[in-house]
Amino acid sequence: MKKSMSMLVGTAMLAVLLVGCQSGSETASTTEVPAEEMLVEEETVSTVEAWGEVSAQNIKEVHIDFDATVSEIYVTEGQEVKQGDKLLSLDYEEYKNSILQKEKELSLDQTTLEGQIKSSSGSSQKISNLRSKANSIQSRINNGTDTEIVALQAEITSYKSDLNMVEKDIEIQKELVAAGSATQKEVDDLEKKASDLKNKIGSAEQKVSNLKKDRQVEISDLNSEIASIQDSLSETEKSNQVAINSSSIKQEISDLEVQQMKSKYTKDYIQGNDIVLDIPQGVIKAIKVVQGSQVGGTNTCLLEILDEESLVIKANVSEEFIKGVKVGADADIIPYADREAVIKGKVKEIQNMAIDNNGETVIPVIIEAAEDSPYLRYGYSVDVEIYTEG
């Protein structure tokens, strides 16, 4: 479809013409209204026309990287789903059993280590305790389970959520101010609130950074103490300590392996044996498996899901008219499914590259609809009229 610039021009003009007629030899006369008494109003509105289709900015892929069998599929391609809906079920008992076996081996290693520690001297016992403490601190940092850091990160998440809402309110208030429906003071108050939240976020993030540094200093002090004790050990004690260290390292490796194995199915979208939707709403774009499929091992993709909250219009604007298109401009969206429907929208993004479309150079423009419509579904075609200043 050829893209073109359409111009709608409305002109209103008021003129008064008085004509007097005289009989016989009298001549006709015309009284003209002075130019300053004529009212002329002219207003120009321009639009750029484009063709586009509904696209999703976010497509969620559901992956697993452990061995399993697809036991049941509950959805079909094109089906709309909501958060918590079951998508499919997996059978991975064999994988769980391998974890259980690893945990038993870990328990045995722990028993062996405890026996070695009991038979060692008091110095070796103290070294082992210090190393265990240092490893525990490091593990809490690596796994994100340090209570103080976790509490601060929860505060940061809460502040960021509040800031996001305030920033949206600021944009709304600015539009209301421009329309004369709100005062600048309301915007200023919201901007001060946003500034306070940013300061709180910065302060909390600095505290997290300081805590992590403090933990590393604590670990360094413990390692220094261990080194000092080791220097004073006898040869026999050193030999015993080598055996204890070896067992301790083996245990740490086994513990990490168990944690990694469990983390593979500790996901928001895995509940027991079920794969569930973990976004507010979506549409099943593709199902990559069938019932009975053996999956896993290489980060298998099970499903592709369109995030319905990320649907936008991707329109192609002819290169010769892109100059008039601005981010934030109003647009009318006319779906092919119902030419009578006109859905309001705004230009969200102008992409920084051109593409070839059937021999014509076009620039993709992202348009966000201001309302939902049954005719704005993924892949639907639309015409778009983007308003420009002119």
Side-chain angles (χ1 to χ4, degrees), residues 359-386:
E360 182 179 9
T361 300
V362 296
I363 292 84
V365 173
I366 305 301
I367 297 167
E368 196 168 47
E371 57 189 282
D372 190 21
S373 167
Y375 307 119
L376 294 184
R377 296 294 179 258
Y378 182 81
Y380 278 32
S381 298
V382 298
D383 281 333
V384 177
E385 292 184 357
I386 303 170

Side-chain angles (χ1 to χ4, degrees), residues 324-341:
V325 178
K326 306 296 181 185
V327 171
D330 291 330
D332 289 340
I333 304 162
I334 302 98
Y336 278 24
D338 183 358
R339 292 288 192 173
E340 300 300 318

